Amino acid sequence: MMPKYGPDLGADPDQFSTDRAMAHVEQLSREPHGVGFAGHARARAYILGELKKMGLATRVQEGYTAGDWGNLSKATNILARIQGQRDGKALMLLSHYDSSPHSSLGASDAASGVATILEGVRAFLESGTKPENDIIILISDAEELGLNGADLFVREHPWAKEVGLVLNFEARGSGGPSYMLIETNRGNAKLIEGFSAAGVEYPVANSLVYSVYKMLPNDTDLTVFREGADIEGLNFAFIDDHFDYHTVLDSAPRLDLNTLAHQGSYLMPLLEYYGQADLGDLKSLNDNLYFNLPFFQLVHYPFEWIWPLFALAVLIFVVLLVRGFKKERLRAKGILRGFQPLLLTLAINGLLGYSCWSVIQWWYPGFGDMLHGFTYNGYTYIMVFVALSLAVCFHIYHVFRRIATPDLLVAPILVWLLICGFLSLELPGGSYFIIPVFGLLAALMVCMDQEGPSPFLLVFLALPAVLILAPFIKMFPVGLGLRMMVASTLLTTLLFFLVLPFFGQLRNKGRLAQLFLLLFFGFGIASHIQSDFGPERPKPSSLVYLYDADRDSALWATYDRQPIAWNGQFLGADRRPAENLGGLASKYGTKFSFTAQAPRKDIPLPYIETLRDTVVGEERLVELCIVPRRDVNRLEIHTNPIPLGLVRANQIELSPHFLKNRGSRLLTHYISDNDFTELSLSFPKDSVLELMFHESSNNLLSHPEFSVPERPDHSIPMPFVLNDAVVTQKTLRFD
Ligand SMILES: [Zn+2]
């Protein structure tokens, strides 16, 4: 699926070198560089310097935006441009340079993308190729906070109107193949045809992943281009080792060099191809199905074929049924009995997969603190459950071995036709699963016509099934967490059905069941050995100091369900389950688990000035300015549930969509350079407005008022939550 990395520091100057790209990753991932952190400006300076070294004129675009998530920040985008030979739409290369606050080193996410672009553009310029189209390089900012940099570019930059296609390089893990995902408002036909013609050597893409991806709430910068300006885009992102995502483990040594080489192997041919192609002609009303296969690279065909292919499969099935009954190779009783092992395996394996994550968390409560939902030994768990599913399949089909193979195949074909019918209706991107079904139909014909069909032929007919389905068995739990193990066990079972013509002939299914049971225990033991936390597999932990100025009291708080000694010493023996503390924002809605009384410290509160408080008609207008009086990273504002009119923060209007769907949180300002927050809002004049301010700094471990020791090496800061923070809380009432 992907290139094999080999040392290539000496590669010709006009070639993409993974080693040279890796040198950029190392430079960019030495320290956390989220918006407002010290490393942020240094990362920007490095990128600007590298672009200048290539002889490119650079510029920056700076401004406040709030995106669609109510996250305000000052974004500073980096831009450069290569002139093309003709006027027309430009090709954009995009990645982001900010890392996720506060602890991520951002080597994969997204220094790998920035490095791919820097090295790719350098090689391209070195080759002396004169592109037809302009090439715009945008290294965006504040992606992690709400796609703010991309938002700023698309809404305000004059170049945005000139962009025809965006190639975006991203990461949600630190290894594995990079998946190509299409972002378009219409059909993908022309994009797929172009992508296919560009001659990418290792395309990893399929239309099912895109359909699923569209249903998930993980937007990338490309979403802003598509929604905001109707610009087409191709996304290249990898997800393996998802547990590294947004943590201090997202470091250069943990980034898989094969993965980085894969990103380069996408960029170079696409830069060549789309540097020349007409980018004004990418929109299409037609959609294509597509998937990658070894030796065939990208297979694609139009959506119009979906129903004819489905109808053809049904027709062949009916013809085979009629013929089978006529020739007495099929018997109604045998067919009916064939449903028993099928339903049993599906039910048992479905239940096993469904309960997987609950069982694992019950056995190892510490895993509840891995908010990714994918544990360090997650890959072994996938092996455990695949082995168990296969043991169940072989055992049950061993018990029902007296059913003749042709009779046995009818039920799986029917189930697969139902699945393909459903996919064709609901998730057309996945309806290419009909292709392996043709293999199964052919195998049924062979089994009806021949007494002892060649096992090689049967394996050959099942090959498309294995090649198309097997990658998904791993992909779902890696990408979506171990709670999706049910997808792995069910897909394993469904794949078993597709290979059933071959397995059905085997006499030793009972033995195979024992073998897989043995493998299950083997992998089970291996997973248990890898289940402890340690320096190799550090446990996420969290600690927050919260000073409540309204009550003049202070708390220690943690998100850990299982605190370690490091934070446990502050929570003490009298720790209590946390009540609702105003619900500080976190990526997955994680709440504090425990709190304990803390000593009062002298933490300066922000200075809050009321600039304006008037009644106009039925509305009361309030304008405030909140100025930090210490080094801070974030200001979060919550309100009581009253209807609000227009809300502006630092002159930026909050999106009506966000205001309509928000809970109590009104705004999170990710602060740079201790900047102020100017808030103006309106509400019905008879209502009472309550504003709660949480101002926080991620410097608990270095704060002079505290003596919180360094984390032990078997733990890392928990990602996705407010962590290692000194927080103050203050409420204002307007009645
Ligand atoms: Zn990212």
Side-chain angles (χ1 to χ4, degrees), residues 95-96 98-100 108-110 143-144 169-172 220 245-246:
S95 191
H96 67 89
D98 64 308
S99 64
S100 174
S108 292
D109 181 14
E143 189 270 354
E144 302 291 359
F169 294 85
E170 256 291 2
R172 249 182 100 79
T220 70
Y245 178 55
H246 283 190

Side-chain angles (χ1 to χ4, degrees), residues 310-626:
F310 181 71
L312 183 67
V314 173
L315 184 73
I316 294 175
F317 182 48
V318 172
V319 169
L320 287 176
L321 279 182
V322 172
R323 227 177 102 214
F325 279 115
K326 252 195 198 147
K327 292 173 79 176
E328 293 185 356
R329 294 288 290 162
L330 290 176
R331 285 167 312 132
K333 212 171 143 193
I335 290 173
L336 276 179
R337 287 202 62 206
F339 278 92
Q340 293 175 16
L342 175 122
L343 294 175
L344 262 173
T345 47
L346 278 178
I348 294 175
N349 287 343
L351 210 67
L352 287 172
Y354 182 75
S355 51
C356 155
W357 184 227
S358 315
V359 171
I360 290 173
Q361 277 182 297
W362 164 78
W363 199 322
Y364 309 102
F367 283 167
D369 288 334
M370 294 201 68
L371 302 180
H372 304 89
F374 190 74
T375 59
Y376 297 114
N377 57 352
Y379 293 104
T380 316
Y381 282 135
I382 296 175
M383 300 299 279
V384 168
F385 278 82
V386 167
L388 186 59
S389 303
L390 286 173
V392 169
C393 287
F394 278 112
H395 177 71
I396 291 180
Y397 276 87
H398 172 69
V399 171
F400 287 88
R401 64 189 172 279
R402 299 211 188 286
I403 305 172
T405 305
D407 288 339
L408 203 57
L409 295 184
V410 172
I413 294 176
L414 200 70
V415 164
W416 264 106
L417 284 175
L418 283 174
I419 291 171
C420 289
F422 170 81
L423 287 171
S424 304
L425 271 178
E426 295 296 325
L427 212 67
S431 64
Y432 65 88
F433 280 4
I434 196 76
I435 289 162
V437 178
F438 283 107
L440 186 55
L441 286 165
L444 171 63
M445 189 175 80
V446 169
C447 290
M448 289 198 315
D449 286 356
Q450 302 175 11
E451 210 42 68
S454 153
F456 292 106
L457 176 63
L458 295 178
V459 167
F460 175 76
L461 289 173
L463 218 53
V466 177
L467 293 177
I468 288 176
L469 261 80
F472 289 105
I473 293 175
K474 185 185 95 171
M475 208 194 67
F476 278 107
V478 174
L480 304 176
L482 292 174
R483 64 170 56 81
M484 281 304 287
M485 190 66 89
V486 64
S488 295
T489 57
L490 286 180
L491 277 171
T492 303
T493 313
L494 290 167
L495 179 56
F496 179 90
F497 295 158
L498 290 169
V499 195
L500 196 55
F502 170 66
F503 291 146
Q505 307 284 325
L506 297 178
R507 283 174 202 288
N508 42 10
K509 289 192 273 289
R511 287 273 179 77
L512 282 168
Q514 288 165 9
L515 173 70
F516 280 107
L517 199 64
L518 211 68
L519 284 173
F520 161 72
F521 282 115
F523 287 122
I525 291 165
S527 73
H528 179 72
I529 292 171
Q530 305 158 350
S531 67
D532 58 331
F533 290 111
E536 286 291 297
R537 296 183 287 271
K539 181 187 176 297
S541 61
S542 59
L543 185 63
V544 166
Y545 174 86
L546 182 73
Y547 173 68
D548 180 346
D550 303 327
R551 286 186 242 175
D552 193 25
S553 64
L555 285 177
W556 292 110
T558 182
Y559 295 92
D560 298 22
R561 291 191 228 170
Q562 226 183 28
I564 57 175
W566 172 78
N567 48 9
Q569 62 184 314
F570 297 98
L571 297 160
D574 65 334
R575 74 179 76 150
R576 48 179 193 271
E579 357 137 38
N580 187 10
L581 289 173
L584 285 170
S586 75
K587 180 159 176 161
Y588 300 130
T590 317
K591 300 229 160 67
F592 285 128
S593 51
F594 297 106
T595 57
Q597 209 56 245
R600 279 200 45 226
K601 301 273 183 183
D602 189 20
I603 312 291
L605 291 171
Y607 175 68
I608 305 176
E609 191 183 1
T610 307
L611 303 173
R612 188 177 174 205
D613 186 353
T614 53
V615 173
V616 176
E618 293 300 303
E619 292 284 290
R620 180 166 172 189
L621 306 178
V622 172
E623 232 175 271
L624 300 170
C625 187
I626 305 110

